[in-house]
């Protein structure tokens, strides 16, 4: 087992515990939506399992006049694309089995990409699920702001970072928005 494999297992347990302890965390994080960097088109995601739910934040962003989109996996080893989406619109499963807008939805380029994660550190390191979807997408879209969306308790002292790992510009948690240097 690699260090990342062990860390992922440990952080999945931490995130699950945090989700069970604080049902109001997502709403408090949504209250901080105004602190996010500017961006007209914001990529959100559909929470799976114990990921911090993005529904309240999506609503806050829409009310603030920001347009939303969702990531879509169309090929497993390629960067994701983004399709325009509004809360409540129907979704279908993409190639990774994640809810995504239908193919008729407009493909857009987000200015800001909110990403789920298992862990983050103070330098913008991000530990994801291990599929590489977000790292491939971040590499293909270097101008998009990369913002983690997580529980504050998912922060760790130091994450192992490999050459393909792309750092975040900031993180939004239930305690507020924090940019990284």
């Amino acid at each position: 087992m690699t260090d990342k494999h062990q860390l992922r297992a440990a952080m999945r347990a931490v995130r699950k515990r945090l989700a069970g302890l604080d049902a109001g965390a997502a709403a408090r994080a949504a209250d901080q939506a105004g602190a996010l960097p500017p961006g007209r088109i914001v990529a959100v995601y559909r929470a799976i399992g114990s990921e911090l739910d993005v529904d309240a934040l999506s609503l806050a962003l829409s009310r603030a006049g920001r347009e939303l989109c969702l990531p879509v996996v169309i090929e497993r080893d390629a960067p994701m694309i983004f399709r325009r989406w509004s809360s409540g619109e129907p979704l279908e499963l993409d190639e990774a089995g994640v809810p995504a807008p239908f193919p008729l939805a407009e493909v857009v380029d987000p200015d800001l990409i909110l990403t789920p994660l298992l862990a983050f550190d103070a330098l913008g390191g991000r530990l994801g699920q291990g599929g590489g979807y977000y790292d491939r997408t971040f590499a293909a879209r270097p101008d998009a702001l990369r913002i983690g969306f997580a529980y504050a308790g998912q922060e760790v002292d130091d994450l192992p970072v490999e050459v393909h790992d792309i750092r975040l510009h900031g993180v939004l948690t239930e305690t507020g928005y924090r940019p990284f240097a």
Side-chain angles (χ1 to χ4, degrees):
M1 282 201 302
T2 67
D3 289 337
K4 276 190 172 181
H5 183 78
Q6 293 170 348
L7 185 56
R8 279 188 181 95
M11 292 310 297
R12 279 186 189 99
V14 167
R15 187 175 68 187
K16 186 175 182 178
R17 182 180 56 79
L18 291 169
L21 290 174
D22 191 354
R28 289 194 313 280
D31 289 342
Q32 308 294 323
L36 286 170
R40 186 176 60 86
I41 301 176
V42 179
V44 293
Y45 61 88
R46 301 305 303 153
I48 297 173
S50 62
E51 291 174 348
L52 189 57
D53 193 294
V54 76
D55 287 347
L57 180 59
S58 295
L59 187 57
L61 291 167
S62 290
R63 286 184 182 149
R66 299 203 198 197
E67 299 171 40
L68 301 179
C69 61
L70 287 173
V72 182
V73 173
I74 54 173
E75 293 179 45
R76 289 204 173 251
D77 292 327
M80 296 182 288
I81 64 165
F82 294 88
R83 291 186 183 140
R84 189 174 304 279
W85 174 79
S86 294
S87 186
E89 289 182 349
L91 302 170
E92 66 179 8
L93 298 182
D94 67 7
E95 287 298 315
V98 176
F102 286 97
L104 292 176
E106 179 186 2
V107 174
V108 295
D109 285 321
D111 305 302
L112 192 149
I113 300 172
L114 289 169
T115 177
L117 49 83
L118 290 170
F120 66 94
D121 66 24
L123 297 175
R126 172 188 171 272
L127 182 69
Q129 294 287 355
Y133 294 110
Y134 276 94
D135 283 318
R136 283 190 296 278
T137 302
F138 293 158
R141 298 174 180 277
D143 294 333
L145 291 173
R146 303 175 298 274
I147 309 297
F149 189 56
Y151 297 94
Q154 290 177 258
E155 184 172 5
V156 298
D157 290 334
D158 187 37
L159 283 174
V161 179
E162 298 175 43
V163 71
H164 64 271
D165 293 328
I166 299 180
R167 294 188 182 277
L168 300 171
H169 292 108
V171 66
L172 179 64
T173 72
E174 74 276 16
T175 63
Y177 175 71
R178 188 167 97 210
F180 299 124

